[in-house]
């Protein structure tokens, strides 16, 4: 069965993805059968000059809380941020989450976070990488434990110098098990062997996520590993700000994602 073209007049279990998503014909599984997996920066939240300056609109927190209930707990934030940082941003609310690009995981809001087999970066390596922040004023250093991020939104002219310095360190340590993740005005260096995709795969083996169809929304290069695994998991992937390869559709900006999530809540009320 299909529903009417107007998503606010839904009368069946399936919810056709409404505007502003660019996904003609894409059909959401029922909320009780899907797992909502959501990146944070650049997807749920607008980018800010520094990671600490992001703002969570009250209506977003409300929608996420309601969707957590409607999915019976199968909603998770999937981020490069640490779980502690995620909790600070969304306080006082807590959500299931995959943090640190798959290094950490929390299955329910009440559970303690657990490491997903991810060793922290070597201290000496961190020290050398941290020194790169001295290349220019405006480069912000963020130590996540499992990774180290160099943010240059306030110093965009330093991009090439940052990557050159990271490459030089990697050349000195060719056997170091590290991976460089380019992002939006950020260069992140993490231990290899785990990604957002490995975190999502692990997450989906645990209740209440197991057996559900994942629906993932992300915006950055680091989200592409998750885009790539969605077809094999019978899932849907949507990108933000660009039409990434392999996704079912895309949103223009985070505000569109927030409006869509609010619409899902409204749809559930009209169906119920």
């Amino acid at each position: 069965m299909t529903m009417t073209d107007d998503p606010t007049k839904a009368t069946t279990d399936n919810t056709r993805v409404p505007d502003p998503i660019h996904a003609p014909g894409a059909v959401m599984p029922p909320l009780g059968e899907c797992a909502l997996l959501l990146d944070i920066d650049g997807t749920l939240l607008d980018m800010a000059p520094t990671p600490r300056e992001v703002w969570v609109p009250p209506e977003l927190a409300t929608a996420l809380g309601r969707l957590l209930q409607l999915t019976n707990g199968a909603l998770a934030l999937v981020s490069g941020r640490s779980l502690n940082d995620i909790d600070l941003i969304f306080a006082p609310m807590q959500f299931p989450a995959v943090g640190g690009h798959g290094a950490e995981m929390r299955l329910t809001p009440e559970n303690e976070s657990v490491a997903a087999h991810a060793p922290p970066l070597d201290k000496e390596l961190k020290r050398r990488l941290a020194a790169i922040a001295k290349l220019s004023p405006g480069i912000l250093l963020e130590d996540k434990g499992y990774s180290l991020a160099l943010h240059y939104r306030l110093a965009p002219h330093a991009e090439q110098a940052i990557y050159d310095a990271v490459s030089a360190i990697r050349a000195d340590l060719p056997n170091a098990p590290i991976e460089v993740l380019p992002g939006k005005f950020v260069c992140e260096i993490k231990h290899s062997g785990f990604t957002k995709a490995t975190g999502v795969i692990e997450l989906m083996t645990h209740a209440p996520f197991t057996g559900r169809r994942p629906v993932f929304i992300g915006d950055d290069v680091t989200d592409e590993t998750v885009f790539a695994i969605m077809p094999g998991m019978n899932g849907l992937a949507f990108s933000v700000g660009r039409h990434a390869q392999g996704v079912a559709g895309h949103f223009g900006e985070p505000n569109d994602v927030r409006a869509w999530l609010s619409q899902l809540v409204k749809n559930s009320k009209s169906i119920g």
Side-chain angles (χ1 to χ4, degrees):
M1 296 178 64
T2 58
M3 59 169 285
T4 61
D5 289 334
D6 185 347
T8 65
K9 298 178 181 179
T11 56
T12 67
D13 286 342
N14 284 353
T15 303
R16 187 166 299 281
V17 180
D19 288 338
I21 205 167
H22 304 285
V27 177
M28 275 284 291
L31 287 176
E33 297 178 10
C34 76
L36 290 176
L37 311 176
L38 308 167
D39 174 51
I40 298 175
D41 296 277
T43 297
L44 291 179
L45 305 182
D46 298 308
M47 300 297 289
T50 70
R52 295 294 183 187
E53 293 181 72
V54 295
W55 179 67
V56 179
E59 61 272 18
L60 171 62
T62 299
L64 290 176
R66 181 62 181 136
L67 288 168
L68 184 65
Q69 295 175 330
L70 291 169
T71 58
N72 296 312
L75 176 148
L77 304 177
V78 181
S79 178
R81 290 179 181 265
S82 67
L83 293 185
N84 182 65
D85 202 20
I86 293 171
D87 290 346
L88 289 175
I89 293 171
F90 287 93
M93 301 183 72
Q94 284 191 324
F95 297 96
V98 173
H101 297 288
E104 301 176 291
M105 186 178 304
R106 180 172 57 219
L107 298 174
T108 73
E110 298 79 22
N111 279 8
E112 293 292 328
S113 62
V114 296
H117 315 295
L121 282 178
D122 177 78
K123 289 184 178 180
E124 178 59 21
L125 175 61
K126 271 190 182 181
R127 186 190 66 77
R128 293 186 63 180
L129 291 169
I132 296 174
K134 298 178 181 179
L135 288 174
S136 175
I139 300 176
L140 302 179
L141 178 68
E142 183 183 10
D143 185 354
K144 303 180 183 180
Y146 302 105
S147 68
L148 190 144
L150 295 158
H151 299 271
Y152 53 91
R153 184 170 291 273
L154 299 179
H157 59 277
E159 177 180 10
Q160 189 60 53
I162 290 171
Y163 280 97
D164 287 347
V166 171
S167 295
I169 293 173
R170 294 189 73 187
D172 286 343
L173 304 169
N175 296 322
I178 58 174
E179 179 182 1
V180 178
L181 299 177
K184 293 180 178 178
F185 294 100
V186 62
C187 174
E188 188 158 357
I189 303 91
K190 71 173 186 64
H191 206 286
S192 60
F194 62 91
T195 63
K196 286 186 178 182
T198 62
V200 166
I201 290 170
E202 175 69 19
L203 179 77
M204 294 299 296
T205 66
H206 298 278
F209 299 91
T210 185
R212 290 172 175 258
R213 289 189 65 193
V215 177
F216 175 71
I217 308 177
D219 73 303
D220 212 343
V221 174
T222 59
D223 299 311
E224 292 178 357
T225 60
V226 186
F227 295 156
I229 65 172
M230 284 296 102
M233 304 181 79
N234 194 29
L236 291 171
F238 302 104
S239 55
V240 182
R242 61 194 176 100
H243 196 288
Q245 184 175 359
V247 300
H250 71 281
F251 294 91
E253 58 185 8
N255 186 57
D256 298 331
V257 178
R258 296 192 292 268
W260 182 75
L261 294 174
S262 295
Q263 186 66 55
L264 288 184
V265 174
K266 293 178 182 177
N267 286 354
S268 71
K269 293 178 180 178
S270 63
I271 292 173

